[in-house]
Amino acid sequence: NELNRIRTEILKIKDFTTPVVHMYGGYDDPGGLPASRPYLDTVREFARATKLAAPNFMATFSPHPGRTSEKEEAVFRMEGANVTIVSNVKSPLLARVANVTVSHFSTCGIQSLVVGTPHVYLSIPEVASWKNVASDVGFINTCTNTTQFLQEFSLIRRGGFSFDVSRFNRTGIPLNTSRELMLAR
């Protein structure tokens, strides 16, 4: 099936017991200050976590649609992080392949939850967080550094790398609409 093909051909996973942590790419605000690059600083934190946690998980990254991964790859190299770059795979499929997904505030977080994959927002301190219904009801936690991220990963691992999709029913978040929007991407 398509998920196994992604695991074996694209990610080249040989050991299916190793968890996959996938980071969805984002971008810095082009109108921001030149010295202020919170997204790339967040990528750096992910790279550091990846390096510290190896071999506890396999890290993957996909660039934001319409963008390349050159800047992120440079950060991964500079930090000595082993991260597999994934291109041309739809975000819902990546959410289903991963055990945990990560982003710097993205709608992909809700997409991941809809398919039962836990999601974490990773953002350096003092960066305005992106408020959305999933974080407001406590479905997605925000970590501001490598240590917090690794602690959150451990909690998610102890929870069996799953998000109970039925939790949407108790919040009023329309799951069918979210699923239809996600699958339409």
Side-chain angles (χ1 to χ4, degrees):
N1 74 24
E2 182 68 3
L3 296 180
N4 283 335
R5 186 189 73 75
I6 292 169
R7 285 184 180 110
T8 58
E9 293 176 24
I10 297 173
L11 301 181
K12 304 200 181 341
I13 298 173
K14 293 175 177 62
D15 178 9
F16 288 132
T17 63
T18 302
V20 175
V21 178
H22 182 75
M23 181 175 195
Y24 293 108
Y27 51 89
D28 277 312
D29 177 7
L33 299 172
S36 172
R37 297 292 179 240
Y39 165 68
L40 286 179
D41 289 342
T42 296
V43 171
R44 189 169 289 103
E45 288 297 319
F46 179 70
R48 290 174 181 161
T50 297
K51 188 175 177 182
L52 286 172
N56 294 326
F57 63 77
M58 175 187 185
T60 62
F61 174 85
S62 61
H64 194 277
R67 297 183 179 267
T68 66
S69 59
E70 291 171 11
K71 291 178 182 177
E72 293 90 348
E73 288 181 65
V75 170
F76 297 144
R77 277 192 306 276
M78 187 172 67
E79 294 296 330
N82 185 16
V83 179
T84 300
I85 307 300
V86 180
S87 298
N88 302 318
V89 178
K90 292 182 179 186
S91 57
L93 288 174
L94 291 169
R96 291 186 61 209
V97 168
N99 297 89
V100 179
T101 58
V102 182
S103 70
H104 177 74
F105 308 119
S106 169
T107 55
C108 291
I110 295 173
Q111 289 180 354
S112 294
L113 297 180
V114 168
V115 297
T117 302
H119 188 81
V120 177
Y121 288 137
L122 180 59
S123 180
I124 61 169
E126 299 177 17
V127 172
S129 64
W130 182 60
K131 299 297 284 178
N132 71 60
V133 67
S135 57
D136 285 346
V137 297
F139 291 175
I140 301 176
N141 289 330
T142 299
C143 300
T144 60
N145 59 49
T146 299
T147 302
Q148 286 179 358
F149 174 74
L150 292 174
Q151 290 170 344
E152 185 70 12
F153 173 79
S154 293
L155 288 171
I156 291 169
R157 179 179 218 149
R158 282 196 295 274
F161 293 116
S162 66
F163 174 80
D164 180 2
V165 178
S166 72
R167 291 174 63 190
F168 279 106
N169 297 336
R170 296 187 293 273
T171 63
I173 299 172
L175 181 59
N176 290 341
T177 303
S178 299
R179 183 172 285 139
E180 287 173 24
L181 286 171
M182 183 192 79
L183 295 175
R185 285 191 88 195

